[in-house]
Amino acid sequence: MTSLISDETHLFNDNSINNDCKLSPENCDGSETLQANKNKGMSNTERLVRDESGTTFPNNPSSERCNEIKGDHDIPPHHMTSQINYSVTQVRIVLSLTAIFGNVVFATDSVIAQYLLDRWSDESGHNKSLNHSGPDKGLCDINESDPWVIHNDEIQARVSMATMYYSFAFIFPAFLSSLIYGALVDIIGRRPPFIATLVGYTSKVIVAMVIIRFDLDPNFFYLSYACDGIGGGLFVNLIASFSITADISEQKGTRILGIAFLTFITKVTNAGTDILIGMLIKHVGYVAASSAILAPVSISLIISIFFLPETLPVAKQKLSLKRLLDYTTRIVFLYSRVGDKRKRLCLFISLIIFFTSVVNTMNLGTNDTLYQKHEPFCWDSAQLAYYTAVGNLASVVAFVYLCMCRCITCVSEEVMSMIGMLFVAGSFTLEAFVNKSWQMFIVPILMIPGLNITPITRGVMSILAGPDKQGVMFSSIALIEIVCCLVSRVVYNKIYAVTVDFMPGFVYLVMAGVSLVTFLLYIPFFHFYDGPPRSYKILRETHDNEGKGTSINSSASTQEREVT
C-alpha cells in the first residue's frame, strides 16, 4: 500500500464491516461488497490524497468540485445483490435500436385517421368534388357557407370523434397495465414488460392493416387500440426503458442524459416517419404504409427478444398475487413511503413540477393545428408540416444544448430546467399574440432551453427513489402522464372553444401561466433538495506492487471517485 494513503485511513476486513453494521445498520445493504468487486484491479495511479483537514479528494479537485455542484457522484447501489453479467454498451445499443424501430408504431394513428377520412368521403361521394372551390383558393378564402366546406367539416368532426373514442380503448387498459407491468418491472425484471409493449405494438399494426386491407367495419379499430393498451403502450415502454437506463447509469448526469437521449430519438423518429408514411399513402396506398410500419416494429420486437439482457439490479423474486398487490400498492402510495419527510417532500414537489410541465405539451399539437388553421394564419397541411419539422429540430437542439451544458458548465440540471421554464412561458406568450406566419416559427426556437425539463425531472425523481424502486417510480410517472393526457384534452380544448371568438390565442396565455407556476415550484424544491444521496459507504481497492488488494472504507461525503 502506498504511503499516499495516511495511517488514519480506515482499513478493514469482513469483521470491520460487521462492526460497522452493528453501529450503523443502514450501511448493511451489501453495497460495500458490490463496490469492492466493481473496483478490483485499480492501479496505483488511481490514488487518493488528503489535505490538511483530512478531507479526501481525487487527483483533480477542481473537476470534482464541479461534479459536486451538479450532484454527479456515484449513486448508491442499495440492495444490489445480483451480479452484473451484461454489457452496458450492448444495452444502450439495443435500447436505441428498439426506440428507433419501435416508435414507428405511432404513425399508425395518422394512417387510421387519414384512411377513415378518405373512406367516409368516398362513401358519401365527397371525394369526387374535392376541387369544388378551385385549386387557387386558400382556406381563408373559402366561404364558410360553401356546401363543400360544411360537408368537409362534418366528416372531419366524425373522424375526430371516432379517433377520440378509439383512444379511450387504449387509455383505460393502459392505465391498468401501467399498474401491473410497473410492479412486474421490479419483481421479475425489466425484459418481460418491455417485450410485452412491443408485442402490443405489433398486434396493433397487424389488426389495423387487416382492417384497411379488407375494408372491415371501422369499429374493429377498437380492437387494434385495445391490443396496444393491454401491452401497456408507450407508458409501459417508457417505464421499462427508463428503468433500464437507470440500471446502467450510476451518475445523475449520465442518467438524465440517457433519458433525454431516448426522448430525443423518439422525436426524431416520429418526424421522419410522418414524412415517409405521408409519401407512401399519397403514392402507394394505406396497405403499403401499414406494411412499412409493421416491418420496423417487428424488427424491434425481434431485437429485444434475442439481444436485450436483463438489467434488474436486485435478485428476481418469485411472482405471487400477494407480492404483485404489494408492489401495486407501492406505486399508489410511493410518495408517502419513500425515505424521510424531506425526501418525500422533494418527490411530491417534483411530481407537481412534472405534471404542470407535461400537461402543457400533451395536447399542444391539436391546439397548434386549430390555432394555425384559424385566421389570420389559415395554414395548409404543408405549412403545418414545416412547423412540426421546426419543432422536432428544436428538440434535437435542446438535447445538444443539455450535453454542452453538462460538459462546459457547472450548472446543475435542476437549475437549467428552472431557467428553461421562463423561456417556455415566454414562447407561449409570444404565440398568443403573433399575427404573422413567420413569427410563429420563432415560438419553438424560443422554447429550446425548456424542452429538457421532462427528462431532467424523470432523472431526479429516479435518483430520489433509489435503484430498487425504479419500476415503481416510473409507473407512478406513467399514471400521471395518463392523467395529464385526459386533463389536457378536456381543459385546453374547452378553453379554446370558449375563447376562439374573441381571442384564439388565449389558451396559450393559460399555458404560460402554468409554466410560471412550474418555475415558482422550484423554489420550495431547492429548499428541501440536498442533491443525490450522500450518506453511503464505498469500498475502494488499490493494489500495491505485489498485486495484493486492500479495501478502503470512506464516506461518500468525501467525494471519493475513480480516476480513469
Side-chain angles (χ1 to χ4, degrees):
M1 182 62 60
T2 68
S3 59
L4 289 177
I5 301 178
S6 69
D7 294 337
E8 295 177 358
T9 303
H10 180 53
L11 305 179
F12 63 97
N13 51 25
D14 293 339
N15 293 331
S16 62
I17 295 178
N18 293 333
N19 291 334
D20 287 340
C21 289
K22 294 176 181 179
L23 296 175
S24 183
E26 65 271 16
N27 295 324
C28 305
D29 53 8
S31 60
E32 294 92 344
T33 304
L34 179 66
Q35 190 66 34
N37 292 335
K38 177 181 174 183
N39 292 299
K40 284 183 179 179
M42 287 177 63
S43 64
N44 283 329
T45 59
E46 299 170 342
R47 296 170 179 171
L48 303 175
V49 295
R50 284 181 175 270
D51 63 3
E52 295 179 357
S53 63
T55 305
T56 305
F57 293 93
N59 291 339
N60 189 353
S62 61
S63 174
E64 183 63 26
R65 175 57 182 163
C66 184
N67 288 332
E68 180 179 358
I69 294 174
K70 296 178 182 179
D72 243 7
H73 46 274
D74 292 338
I75 304 303
H78 294 297
H79 308 292
M80 293 186 180
T81 58
S82 63
Q83 297 296 324
I84 298 177
N85 55 1
Y86 57 84
S87 168
V88 173
T89 302
Q90 177 184 343
V91 175
R92 295 190 189 279
I93 292 175
V94 171
L95 275 184
S96 300
L97 291 177
T98 52
I100 292 173
F101 294 125
N103 287 331
V104 175
V105 72
F106 301 124
T108 308
D109 296 338
S110 177
V111 172
I112 293 174
Q114 295 183 61
Y115 167 76
L116 290 176
L117 184 62
D118 282 350
R119 176 173 173 174
W120 287 338
S121 296
D122 287 337
E123 291 175 354
S124 64
H126 185 57
N127 269 348
K128 298 177 182 179
S129 57
L130 287 179
N131 294 324
H132 172 73
S133 299
D136 297 328
K137 290 189 176 181
L139 294 176
C140 287
D141 298 324
I142 302 176
N143 193 323
E144 293 183 358
S145 62
D146 191 308
W148 182 88
V149 175
I150 297 175
H151 194 48
N152 182 66
D153 289 345
E154 291 175 353
I155 294 176
Q156 287 194 349
R158 183 182 176 188
V159 172
S160 177
M161 292 299 295
T163 54
M164 182 186 70
Y165 291 137
Y166 294 154
S167 67
F168 291 156
F170 160 75
I171 288 177
F172 293 114
F175 183 88
L176 297 177
S177 298
S178 297
L179 286 173
I180 297 174
Y181 288 132
L184 293 178
V185 161
D186 285 335
I187 298 176
I188 63 176
R190 321 301 196 194
R191 267 174 51 88
F194 185 82
I195 293 175
T197 62
L198 296 177
V199 172
Y201 285 174
T202 307
S203 302
K204 175 182 180 178
V205 180
I206 291 176
V207 174
M209 186 171 62
V210 170
I211 296 171
I212 294 172
R213 172 64 181 82
F214 297 101
D215 286 330
L216 301 179
D217 189 329
N219 286 327
F220 282 109
F221 282 122
Y222 285 107
L223 177 61
S224 176
Y225 280 83
C227 289
D228 191 15
I230 294 172
L234 173 65
F235 302 113
V236 174
N237 186 271
L238 293 180
I239 292 172
S241 297
F242 293 152
S243 296
I244 293 172
T245 301
D247 294 340
I248 61 177
S249 306
E250 290 187 350
Q251 295 181 352
K252 184 190 72 172
T254 305
R255 185 174 301 184
I256 290 176
L257 285 179
I259 294 174
F261 181 70
L262 291 178
T263 306
F264 154 75
I265 288 180
T266 301
K267 292 283 187 180
V268 174
T269 302
N270 290 345
T273 302
D274 288 340
I275 297 174
L276 176 61
I277 297 303
M279 294 175 60
L280 287 175
I281 291 175
K282 181 177 181 180
H283 298 288
V284 185
Y286 292 103
V287 176
S290 301
S291 301
I293 297 174
L294 179 61
V297 172
S298 300
I299 291 174
S300 68
L301 176 60
I302 294 173
I303 291 175
S304 64
I305 291 175
F306 291 102
F307 299 103
L308 179 65
E310 180 56 65
T311 63
L312 184 67
V314 298
K316 293 183 180 180
Q317 305 176 50
K318 184 178 180 180
L319 181 62
S320 64
L321 180 60
K322 180 180 179 181
R323 181 168 285 115
L324 180 62
L325 292 175
D326 176 61
Y327 272 79
T328 303
T329 304
R330 293 185 188 184
I331 295 174
V332 178
F333 297 100
L334 171 67
Y335 301 93
S336 62
R337 296 182 178 180
V338 172
D340 55 15
K341 182 178 180 180
R342 193 182 190 91
K343 178 179 287 188
R344 290 195 295 270
L345 285 172
C346 283
L347 275 174
F348 184 72
I349 296 172
S350 299
L351 179 68
I352 301 176
I353 290 174
F354 184 84
F355 177 86
T356 54
S357 60
V358 171
V359 76
N360 277 348
T361 61
M362 277 293 184
N363 200 48
L364 187 59
T366 301
N367 292 129
D368 284 345
T369 299
L370 295 173
Y371 183 54
Q372 291 158 1
K373 279 183 170 293
H374 196 274
E375 296 179 358
F377 309 107
C378 299
W379 282 6
D380 58 20
S381 58
Q383 291 171 302
L384 292 173
Y386 295 148
Y387 182 82
T388 302
V390 173
N392 288 316
L393 179 62
S395 299
V396 176
V397 176
F399 176 74
V400 176
Y401 164 76
L402 178 61
C403 295
M404 292 179 60
C405 289
R406 287 290 311 164
C407 295
I408 64 178
T409 72
C410 289
V411 179
S412 69
E413 290 86 355
E414 297 87 345
V415 174
M416 290 167 54
S417 60
M418 180 182 183
I419 297 174
M421 291 314 299
L422 292 179
F423 285 87
V424 173
S427 67
F428 282 138
T429 304
L430 174 64
E431 189 169 7
F433 293 104
V434 295
N435 53 19
K436 301 290 184 182
S437 291
W438 67 267
Q439 296 171 345
M440 185 66 71
F441 287 91
I442 302 176
V443 173
I445 298 175
L446 183 61
M447 198 177 291
I448 288 175
L451 293 178
N452 291 312
I453 184 171
T454 301
I456 289 175
T457 307
R458 289 184 196 271
V460 171
M461 295 176 71
S462 168
I463 291 169
L464 289 172
D468 59 331
K469 298 182 180 66
Q470 294 304 304
V472 171
M473 171 54 66
F474 288 119
S475 297
S476 67
I477 293 177
L479 296 179
I480 294 299
E481 286 184 291
I482 295 174
V483 174
C484 286
C485 183
L486 293 174
V487 171
S488 181
R489 291 184 179 183
V490 173
V491 174
Y492 287 138
N493 282 348
K494 185 65 175 178
I495 292 176
Y496 182 82
V498 172
T499 61
V500 66
D501 291 336
F502 66 91
M503 185 180 179
F506 182 83
V507 65
Y508 296 105
L509 292 180
V510 178
M511 293 181 182
V514 174
S515 298
L516 289 177
V517 171
T518 306
F519 170 81
L520 295 175
L521 284 171
Y522 274 99
I523 298 176
F525 172 81
F526 284 121
H527 177 73
F528 295 108
Y529 184 57
D530 291 329
R534 295 170 181 267
S535 59
Y536 59 92
K537 293 192 175 182
I538 301 177
L539 288 184
R540 299 292 190 196
E541 283 198 355
T542 59
H543 290 265
D544 57 19
N545 295 330
E546 298 178 359
K548 297 180 180 179
T550 307
S551 298
I552 304 172
N553 182 18
S554 65
S555 172
S557 62
T558 64
Q559 294 297 303
E560 190 173 320
R561 296 176 60 87
E562 292 177 291
V563 182
T564 57

